[in-house]
Amino acid sequence: MTETSGELTPAEVEAVARAAHEGQTDKAGRPYAEHLRAVAEGVRARGGDAEQIAAAWLHDAVEDDALSERWLERAALSRRTKDIVLALTKRAGETPEEYAGRILATPGARLVKEADLAHNADPARLARLDDPATRTRLTEKYARMRALLGLEQPLS
Protein backbone atom coordinates (compact mmCIF):
# COMPACT_ATOMS: atom_id res chain seq x y z
CA MET A 1 0.00 0.00 0.00
CA THR A 2 1.11 3.56 -0.52
CA GLU A 3 2.37 5.19 2.63
CA THR A 4 0.58 8.48 2.04
CA SER A 5 -2.95 7.35 1.27
CA GLY A 6 -3.14 3.89 2.78
CA GLU A 7 -4.79 2.76 -0.48
CA LEU A 8 -3.69 -0.06 -2.71
CA THR A 9 -1.18 1.04 -5.32
CA PRO A 10 -2.06 0.62 -9.01
CA ALA A 11 0.27 -2.40 -9.18
CA GLU A 12 -1.40 -3.95 -6.13
CA VAL A 13 -4.88 -3.44 -7.61
CA GLU A 14 -3.73 -5.10 -10.84
CA ALA A 15 -2.21 -8.01 -8.89
CA VAL A 16 -5.40 -8.49 -6.86
CA ALA A 17 -7.53 -8.45 -10.01
CA ARG A 18 -5.26 -10.88 -11.85
CA ALA A 19 -5.23 -13.26 -8.86
CA ALA A 20 -9.01 -13.01 -8.41
CA HIS A 21 -9.62 -13.98 -12.05
CA GLU A 22 -6.79 -16.57 -12.22
CA GLY A 23 -7.80 -19.48 -14.44
CA GLN A 24 -10.86 -17.63 -15.80
CA THR A 25 -11.22 -17.21 -19.56
CA ASP A 26 -13.41 -15.04 -21.75
CA LYS A 27 -15.97 -16.39 -24.23
CA ALA A 28 -13.21 -16.93 -26.80
CA GLY A 29 -11.08 -18.91 -24.34
CA ARG A 30 -8.51 -16.15 -23.76
CA PRO A 31 -7.19 -15.45 -20.23
CA TYR A 32 -9.65 -13.05 -18.58
CA ALA A 33 -6.80 -10.83 -17.36
CA GLU A 34 -6.31 -9.74 -21.00
CA HIS A 35 -9.78 -8.17 -20.92
CA LEU A 36 -9.08 -6.44 -17.60
CA ARG A 37 -5.81 -5.03 -18.92
CA ALA A 38 -7.51 -3.81 -22.11
CA VAL A 39 -10.26 -2.06 -20.14
CA ALA A 40 -7.73 -0.42 -17.79
CA GLU A 41 -5.70 0.75 -20.79
CA GLY A 42 -8.89 1.96 -22.48
CA VAL A 43 -9.75 4.02 -19.40
CA ARG A 44 -6.25 5.49 -19.36
CA ALA A 45 -6.42 6.31 -23.09
CA ARG A 46 -9.77 8.07 -22.56
CA GLY A 47 -8.25 10.32 -19.88
CA GLY A 48 -9.47 8.37 -16.87
CA ASP A 49 -7.87 8.92 -13.48
CA ALA A 50 -6.24 6.46 -11.07
CA GLU A 51 -9.54 5.69 -9.32
CA GLN A 52 -11.22 4.84 -12.63
CA ILE A 53 -8.25 2.71 -13.72
CA ALA A 54 -8.42 0.80 -10.42
CA ALA A 55 -12.15 0.29 -10.98
CA ALA A 56 -11.42 -0.95 -14.51
CA TRP A 57 -9.17 -3.68 -13.14
CA LEU A 58 -11.89 -4.69 -10.66
CA HIS A 59 -15.00 -3.99 -12.77
CA ASP A 60 -16.08 -7.65 -13.11
CA ALA A 61 -14.68 -9.03 -9.84
CA VAL A 62 -17.84 -8.82 -7.74
CA GLU A 63 -20.19 -9.70 -10.60
CA ASP A 64 -18.13 -12.81 -11.42
CA ASP A 65 -17.83 -13.77 -7.72
CA ALA A 66 -14.06 -13.47 -8.05
CA LEU A 67 -14.14 -11.10 -5.05
CA SER A 68 -16.99 -10.57 -2.62
CA GLU A 69 -18.85 -7.34 -2.08
CA ARG A 70 -17.65 -7.58 1.54
CA TRP A 71 -14.02 -7.72 0.31
CA LEU A 72 -14.64 -4.65 -1.81
CA GLU A 73 -16.16 -2.70 1.07
CA ARG A 74 -13.17 -3.51 3.30
CA ALA A 75 -10.51 -3.00 0.61
CA ALA A 76 -8.03 -0.14 0.85
CA LEU A 77 -9.60 1.67 -2.10
CA SER A 78 -11.22 5.08 -2.44
CA ARG A 79 -14.98 5.33 -1.96
CA ARG A 80 -15.24 6.50 -5.59
CA THR A 81 -13.44 3.40 -6.90
CA LYS A 82 -15.72 1.16 -4.84
CA ASP A 83 -18.80 3.02 -6.05
CA ILE A 84 -17.74 2.62 -9.68
CA VAL A 85 -17.16 -1.13 -9.25
CA LEU A 86 -20.55 -1.51 -7.57
CA ALA A 87 -22.23 0.54 -10.31
CA LEU A 88 -20.74 -1.75 -12.97
CA THR A 89 -21.83 -4.91 -11.12
CA LYS A 90 -24.95 -6.26 -12.80
CA ARG A 91 -27.64 -7.50 -10.44
CA ALA A 92 -29.98 -10.45 -10.85
CA GLY A 93 -33.23 -9.50 -12.56
CA GLU A 94 -32.01 -6.01 -13.42
CA THR A 95 -33.06 -4.52 -16.75
CA PRO A 96 -30.47 -2.94 -19.06
CA GLU A 97 -32.21 0.41 -18.44
CA GLU A 98 -31.80 0.07 -14.66
CA TYR A 99 -28.17 -0.95 -15.07
CA ALA A 100 -27.43 1.98 -17.40
CA GLY A 101 -29.22 4.37 -15.06
CA ARG A 102 -27.01 3.33 -12.13
CA ILE A 103 -23.89 3.75 -14.24
CA LEU A 104 -24.99 7.22 -15.36
CA ALA A 105 -25.77 8.19 -11.75
CA THR A 106 -22.30 7.18 -10.51
CA PRO A 107 -19.52 9.71 -11.11
CA GLY A 108 -16.75 8.15 -13.21
CA ALA A 109 -18.55 4.91 -14.03
CA ARG A 110 -19.64 5.78 -17.59
CA LEU A 111 -16.05 6.14 -18.82
CA VAL A 112 -15.08 2.74 -17.36
CA LYS A 113 -18.12 1.10 -18.96
CA GLU A 114 -17.29 2.82 -22.26
CA ALA A 115 -13.82 1.21 -22.20
CA ASP A 116 -15.36 -2.15 -21.24
CA LEU A 117 -17.86 -1.98 -24.10
CA ALA A 118 -15.16 -0.92 -26.56
CA HIS A 119 -13.10 -3.99 -25.76
CA ASN A 120 -16.09 -6.34 -25.63
CA ALA A 121 -17.31 -5.12 -29.02
CA ASP A 122 -13.89 -5.12 -30.68
CA PRO A 123 -14.50 -6.83 -34.04
CA ALA A 124 -11.19 -8.72 -33.77
CA ARG A 125 -12.20 -10.05 -30.36
CA LEU A 126 -15.71 -10.98 -31.51
CA ALA A 127 -14.27 -12.72 -34.58
CA ARG A 128 -12.62 -15.26 -32.25
CA LEU A 129 -16.07 -16.53 -31.27
CA ASP A 130 -16.99 -19.68 -33.18
CA ASP A 131 -20.74 -19.16 -33.13
CA PRO A 132 -22.10 -16.48 -35.50
CA ALA A 133 -25.34 -16.25 -33.48
CA THR A 134 -23.36 -15.41 -30.33
CA ARG A 135 -21.38 -12.76 -32.22
CA THR A 136 -24.62 -11.18 -33.46
CA ARG A 137 -26.30 -11.34 -30.03
CA LEU A 138 -23.32 -9.75 -28.28
CA THR A 139 -22.88 -7.06 -30.95
CA GLU A 140 -26.53 -6.07 -30.52
CA LYS A 141 -26.29 -6.19 -26.72
CA TYR A 142 -23.23 -3.91 -26.65
CA ALA A 143 -24.78 -1.47 -29.15
CA ARG A 144 -27.93 -1.24 -27.03
CA MET A 145 -25.93 -0.50 -23.88
CA ARG A 146 -23.90 2.16 -25.72
CA ALA A 147 -27.19 3.78 -26.78
CA LEU A 148 -28.60 3.63 -23.23
CA LEU A 149 -25.44 5.33 -21.94
CA GLY A 150 -25.52 8.00 -24.65
CA LEU A 151 -22.25 6.83 -26.21
CA GLU A 152 -21.56 7.15 -29.91
CA GLN A 153 -21.60 3.88 -31.81
CA PRO A 154 -18.14 2.83 -33.02
CA LEU A 155 -17.37 3.11 -36.70
CA SER A 156 -17.57 -0.20 -38.50
Side-chain angles (χ1 to χ4, degrees):
M1 287 195 285
T2 60
E3 290 185 27
T4 54
S5 70
E7 292 180 12
L8 294 171
T9 65
E12 288 168 332
V13 171
E14 178 181 344
V16 165
R18 286 180 178 278
H21 291 277
E22 183 67 34
Q24 187 179 355
T25 58
D26 66 12
K27 290 175 181 68
R30 303 291 309 158
Y32 203 74
E34 290 180 9
H35 171 63
L36 302 177
R37 180 185 45 73
V39 175
E41 287 302 317
V43 167
R44 181 178 287 113
R46 288 168 174 78
D49 60 30
E51 291 173 320
Q52 290 169 303
I53 293 167
W57 277 106
L58 298 170
H59 78 277
D60 281 333
V62 175
E63 182 178 316
D64 291 350
D65 292 323
L67 295 170
S68 70
E69 199 167 323
R70 184 175 181 189
W71 176 90
L72 182 66
E73 283 305 317
R74 293 179 169 195
L77 297 164
S78 73
R79 180 74 255 161
R80 182 166 170 256
T81 294
K82 294 175 186 184
D83 288 346
I84 292 170
V85 173
L86 291 172
L88 296 174
T89 301
K90 290 181 195 144
R91 299 173 186 159
E94 181 173 52
T95 67
E97 291 80 7
E98 291 167 333
Y99 178 57
R102 188 175 59 254
I103 291 169
L104 291 171
T106 305
R110 182 176 178 256
L111 186 127
V112 179
K113 188 61 181 176
E114 180 181 7
D116 179 40
L117 288 167
H119 188 247
N120 283 338
D122 179 350
R125 188 169 187 233
L126 288 170
R128 292 188 199 125
L129 298 175
D130 292 331
D131 181 30
T134 299
R135 279 196 302 270
T136 299
R137 179 182 60 80
L138 291 174
T139 298
E140 290 170 358
K141 174 184 166 184
Y142 302 143
R144 180 170 183 222
M145 184 54 57
R146 289 186 69 81
L148 288 171
L149 294 172
L151 298 169
E152 289 184 22
Q153 297 299 326
L155 301 174
S156 17

